[in-house]
Amino acid sequence: MTSTASRSISVSSGTTPRLWAAMAVTVVLWASAFVGIRSAGADYSPGALTLGRIAVGAVALMAIAAVAGRRRRVAAAASTGGADGASARGRLRGRILALVIVWGLAWFGVYNLVLNAAERHLDAGTAALLVNLAPMIVAVLAGLLLGEGFPRRLIIGMLVAFAGVAVIAAATSTGTVDPAGVGLGLAAAVLYGGAATLQKRLLQYVDAATMTWIGCLAAAVACLPFLPELVRELSAAPLSSTLAVVYLGVFPTAIAFTTWGYVLARFSAGRTAATTYAVPAVVVLLSWLLLREVPPVAALFGGALALAGVAVATLPRRRPAAVVR
């Protein structure tokens, strides 16, 4: 049987434009979530914001999962061998279903709750820096648990990218350090890293769209105790903040988590996570465009450095051309 690592490497060596497009969608939409959380967080508490976001996301993901399921059935009907594989991946039961639910509770539920709380204590740049410790956690866990190893290009690229996001955080920080916010940011990074590693393993048994929908739905159910809080704040919040919650549910949650799962199923966990080092750079750009916050030169330099590190970590190594004699 072919290992997860070898399958990922074989796919990543011939990365398609569709895969790069999915990566770009994930990065841009996840970056926009920082702006959306800052916008909605003024009127919605962390629990209410979490429930509102993932409830909207679960509804949107239901439609995405339905479309993905219809495509799988068509593909299975066209190929007998594909039918067996699609059937095996389509059945969710027992331990796999339980792990998908645990994954959903951790990433959609607890991670969002912790991140929302962290952004009440930290500015966007510092929050992005702390959360983007997660790719290093993913790389270590994937190397230890998924057999992906520790390629030199990956490690060098991640270190360069991390230096870039550190420059961004330093350039955009308010200059104050809140220990509670730092702790929450680090907790979010650990949750992100662990959930991404578990997801990579589970994608062997379930497609990305179905897994994302079930995980989001499980988290929405678990967050129902925040419903009275959400209803109360919904009645008082301005329309702009409520629209921000809807945006967070449809785009950074439903769409971006689906494209993330699509990439993760076809790319190594460490390299997929490394692409998210570009998120802080995009956050700076979006803050500039949407909030009219002009980034300092140091932040622009940090963004360029982060993108360079992502390129080093994720672009496939070129093989030397064969010599024709």
Side-chain angles (χ1 to χ4, degrees):
M1 179 179 293
T2 305
S3 68
T4 303
S6 61
R7 281 199 300 270
S8 299
I9 293 171
S10 65
V11 174
S12 63
S13 61
T15 308
T16 65
R18 180 180 296 181
L19 202 56
W20 285 117
M23 289 179 183
V25 168
T26 303
V27 168
V28 171
L29 293 184
W30 277 1
S32 72
F34 283 92
V35 177
I37 290 172
R38 284 175 63 85
S39 177
D43 300 290
Y44 287 94
S45 59
L49 178 55
T50 299
L51 176 58
R53 173 179 177 173
I54 60 179
V56 172
V59 173
L61 282 163
M62 186 183 303
I64 294 174
V67 172
R70 185 160 52 248
R71 289 180 177 176
R72 286 197 308 274
R73 289 191 294 272
V74 170
S79 171
T80 303
D84 293 339
S87 176
R89 286 167 62 87
R91 291 192 296 266
L92 265 180
R93 59 184 63 173
R95 187 173 69 92
I96 299 302
L97 177 58
L99 287 173
V100 169
I101 292 174
V102 169
W103 167 80
L105 293 176
W107 208 347
F108 289 102
V110 183
Y111 168 80
N112 276 312
L113 185 63
V114 170
L115 178 59
N116 293 341
E119 290 211 44
R120 289 194 157 211
H121 296 271
L122 301 172
D123 58 272
T126 303
L129 168 64
L130 293 170
V131 171
N132 275 275
L133 290 171
M136 286 190 177
I137 297 172
V138 172
V140 172
L141 292 177
L144 294 174
L145 304 177
L146 303 182
E148 293 184 4
F150 300 93
R152 185 172 61 180
R153 281 171 59 89
L154 173 63
I155 300 301
I156 293 175
M158 292 177 72
L159 290 175
V160 171
F162 184 77
V165 297
V167 172
I168 293 172
T172 59
S173 174
T174 59
T176 60
V177 177
D178 187 327
V182 171
L184 290 167
L186 291 174
V190 172
L191 287 163
Y192 169 176
T197 307
L198 176 59
Q199 183 180 11
K200 177 63 178 178
R201 176 67 74 183
L202 293 175
L203 284 171
Q204 298 176 75
Y205 308 101
V206 58
D207 65 279
T210 301
M211 179 179 179
T212 305
W213 173 53
I214 292 175
C216 189
L217 184 62
V221 172
C223 288
L224 283 177
F226 295 114
L227 182 58
E229 192 175 336
L230 175 61
V231 171
R232 183 173 61 254
E233 294 174 6
L234 181 62
S235 63
L239 179 61
S240 59
S241 292
T242 301
L243 290 178
V245 175
V246 174
Y247 173 85
L248 288 169
V250 174
F251 292 95
T253 302
I255 295 177
F257 270 91
T258 299
T259 53
W260 161 269
Y262 173 82
V263 174
L264 188 60
R266 295 160 176 81
F267 217 43
S268 71
R271 293 185 187 277
T272 303
T275 64
T276 63
Y277 268 121
V279 167
V282 181
V283 170
V284 170
L285 178 60
L286 292 177
S287 297
W288 180 27
L289 294 175
L290 300 178
L291 304 178
R292 296 295 185 265
E293 295 176 353
V294 180
V297 175
L300 295 177
F301 172 75
L305 191 61
L307 291 173
V310 169
V312 171
T314 59
L315 288 177
R317 183 178 181 180
R318 290 186 177 181
R319 296 180 179 180
V323 178
V324 179
R325 296 180 182 273

